[in-house]
Amino acid sequence: MGNRRRLVQALNSQVDHLRTERELREQAARAAERSRIAAEMHDVLAHRLSLIALHTGVLATRADTVPSPVAQRLTLLRAASTEALADLRDVLGALHDAGPATGDQAPAPVLRDVRELVEQAREAGQQVDLRVEGMPEQAPAAHRLALYRLVQEGLTNSRKHAADAPVRIRLDYGPPATVVEIINTAGRTTAYPAPSGFGLVGLGERVHALGGHLSAGPHGAGSWRLAARITHPAHHEQNGSRT
């Protein structure tokens, strides 16, 4: 009885340790995803601010062809955009991984087209059926980045657990919402085990930060479904004002 009691205590201690370890891993996954979001938005905003500074600089060189008040505003706008770009780099630039680049690292998904992911998957032998509604420009940049990550995660998990199974992807850029749905069946040669969940934890953090909803789990007989819906800011504000 004494040995049994000590064994139960040891097992309880091990369960508590595993639970704490899992919570720490989930926190690390959320923190990593937040850092990734900030780094991606840094790239997007830096690109757009650079365009503003470039075009206002070109217009400022032709100040003699525009009224004086307009020329003054152009100079002010160029200075403000340049300063904002410098501030952005100071604040968020450190979030980029400063380690040496390797050939295995995937390029950062800065407003890249999801079709690139699908084509790469097809070249690797995956059967992918893609259906797109709307245009990417209809969705906010943060939504498009999230959508890219969701499709990337869905295709990666499918390759790992059901490489020979067809994948169906539905994208809707809205409005009123950005929607993604990824469904695949279990493969003939690979069982579909329960995922570790840490990749989904990070994606959940990203989607929830945008005010959206993420769901992942079994879907029908032997299928797996990953889906997210993120309401566009304008529609979210309208619904909030009505309530």
Side-chain angles (χ1 to χ4, degrees):
M1 291 179 64
N3 288 338
R4 180 182 177 83
R5 184 166 53 251
R6 284 188 291 271
L7 177 60
V8 170
Q9 291 175 349
L11 291 175
N12 288 335
S13 177
Q14 185 177 6
V15 168
D16 291 339
H17 175 75
L18 292 174
R19 184 182 297 112
T20 301
E21 183 179 358
R22 180 174 181 84
E23 291 175 354
L24 291 174
R25 288 185 178 182
E26 289 181 354
Q27 292 176 7
R30 293 189 181 97
E33 194 66 24
R34 286 195 293 268
S35 295
R36 185 194 290 255
I37 294 169
E40 291 172 355
M41 290 309 299
H42 162 266
D43 289 343
V44 173
L45 294 176
H47 174 67
R48 292 183 175 177
L49 286 172
S50 297
L51 287 178
I52 293 173
L54 174 64
H55 289 295
T56 52
V58 172
L59 292 174
T61 60
R62 303 176 181 176
D64 55 337
T65 63
V66 298
S68 178
V70 175
Q72 294 176 2
R73 295 296 179 94
L74 287 173
T75 301
L76 178 62
L77 181 59
R78 183 175 187 276
S81 60
T82 303
E83 292 174 1
L85 182 59
D87 292 340
L88 181 66
R89 285 172 175 164
D90 289 340
V91 174
L92 298 179
L95 291 172
H96 285 285
D97 185 6
T102 63
D104 297 333
Q105 289 180 332
V110 179
L111 294 184
R112 299 178 65 202
D113 197 329
V114 173
R115 291 181 177 85
E116 295 181 23
L117 284 175
V118 173
E119 289 302 321
Q120 291 171 5
R122 287 171 176 167
E123 291 175 1
Q126 280 187 281
Q127 304 175 49
V128 184
D129 177 36
L130 176 63
R131 184 160 62 91
V132 180
E133 300 176 13
M135 299 294 293
E137 294 76 15
Q138 294 177 274
H143 290 204
R144 293 158 63 184
L145 291 169
L147 186 146
Y148 187 99
R149 284 280 294 117
L150 286 160
V151 173
Q152 187 179 49
E153 181 74 11
L155 290 174
T156 299
N157 286 337
S158 178
R159 279 195 298 270
K160 288 180 179 179
H161 307 301
D164 57 345
V167 183
R168 300 197 312 272
I169 301 176
R170 182 177 70 88
L171 307 178
D172 186 352
Y173 290 101
T178 304
V179 178
V180 57
E181 182 182 50
I182 307 166
I183 300 176
N184 66 273
T185 58
R188 294 188 299 273
T189 59
T190 307
Y192 205 105
S196 64
F198 297 115
L200 295 178
V201 168
L203 290 176
E205 179 72 16
R206 178 187 290 261
V207 173
H208 294 157
L210 296 172
H213 175 71
L214 175 71
S215 62
H219 178 72
S223 297
W224 183 268
R225 177 177 180 266
L226 173 64
R229 186 180 192 277
I230 311 172
T231 304
H232 287 197
H235 292 267
H236 182 75
E237 293 173 1
Q238 290 175 3
N239 293 335
S241 62
R242 291 170 185 169
T243 57

